């Protein structure tokens, strides 16, 4: 798996490189500023890009914007972005383009090496990965909003795990229930959220997160 890294902190950039290489990945480029991201991605066309949201020169959202531009030029380019804090706008920007894998992790998650590497691999494979803390905060911000408050506590738990990008089998394993029980909860969730259920796991996560972020999910394809 070929990876491009964009991170301005030399220590973290080197750490990411060492972690990924230790798990058999090939880091084909590692850049430290926003303007260098797009050229590196278009030149190497990696299997996945790991990009810090905030990069020089302004340390605002250069990394995110570079990722959005790269996905426009290289449709379906898998991108995993890293952020110091939960930023609702960043999640919405990433989810706007539904082609290819996408992920949003807090930097603290990198210290959990197995989880980080698993996230990189899942995004490279075309999946969607959202940090549990991001999901929790989005859920909290939407608490009390119709029809989310119609969900039972168990359905909200299932919804949160779905939004992290987990498959039905993974949700079942986490909750110690059968996949049949998970299917039942998911069908109920989609019914209450007025979204048709879909067999496409990635599209399902995008629809859930779009709703949590306040988007009009009725426009999303089923």
């Amino acid at each position: 798996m070929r990876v491009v890294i964009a991170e301005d902190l030399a220590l973290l950039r080197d750490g990411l490189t060492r972690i990924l290489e230790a798990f058999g990945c090939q880091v084909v480029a590692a850049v430290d500023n926003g303007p260098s991201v797009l050229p590196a991605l278009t030149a190497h066309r990696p299997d996945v890009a790991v990009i810090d949201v905030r990069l020089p020169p302004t340390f605002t959202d250069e990394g995110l914007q570079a990722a959005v531009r790269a996905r426009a030029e290289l449709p379906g380019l898998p991108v995993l972005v890293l952020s110091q804090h939960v930023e609702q706008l960043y999640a919405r920007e990433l989810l706007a383009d539904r082609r290819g894998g996408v992920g949003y992790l807090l930097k603290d998650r990198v210290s959990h090496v197995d989880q980080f590497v698993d996230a990189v691999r899942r995004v490279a494979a075309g999946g969607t990965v959202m940090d549990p803390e991001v999901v929790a905060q989005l859920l909290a911000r939407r608490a009390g909003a119709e029809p989310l408050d119609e969900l039972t506590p168990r359905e909200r738990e299932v919804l949160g795990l779905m939004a992290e990008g987990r498959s039905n089998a993974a949700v079942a394993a986490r909750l110690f229930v059968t996949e049949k029980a998970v299917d039942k909860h998911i069908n109920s969730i989609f019914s209450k959220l007025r979204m048709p259920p879909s067999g496409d796991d990635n599209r399902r996560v995008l629809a859930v997160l779009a709703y949590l972020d306040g988007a009009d999910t009725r426009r999303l394809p089923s």
Side-chain angles (χ1 to χ4, degrees), residues 7 20 23 28-29 31-32 36 59 64-65 106 109 123 138 153 156 158 177 198-199 202 214:
E7 168 58 54
L20 292 172
F23 281 81
V28 296
V31 302
D32 63 359
S36 298
F59 294 98
L64 176 69
Q65 294 307 319
L106 296 182
R109 199 66 54 186
V123 170
L138 290 176
R156 289 175 63 88
V158 171
V177 298
S198 169
N202 192 48

Side-chain angles (χ1 to χ4, degrees), residues 63-142:
L64 176 69
Q65 294 307 319
V68 171
R69 288 194 298 272
R71 284 168 67 88
E73 293 197 20
L74 303 172
L77 173 70
V79 175
L80 173 63
V81 301
L82 303 177
S83 179
Q84 192 68 41
H85 308 287
V86 176
E87 295 285 353
Q88 194 168 357
L89 174 62
Y90 297 160
R92 184 169 66 248
E93 289 281 352
L94 285 171
L95 296 172
D97 181 356
R98 304 185 188 106
R99 298 169 295 176
V102 64
Y104 182 127
L105 289 184
L106 296 182
K107 285 188 174 181
D108 289 346
R109 199 66 54 186
V110 175
S111 62
H112 302 280
V113 175
D114 290 341
Q115 293 181 27
F116 169 67
V117 174
D118 178 63
V120 173
R121 288 175 173 164
R122 286 163 61 189
V123 170
T128 301
V129 176
M130 301 299 283
D131 194 287
E133 183 63 25
V134 175
V135 174
Q137 291 202 25
L138 290 176
L139 280 168
R141 290 170 184 173
R142 295 289 292 171

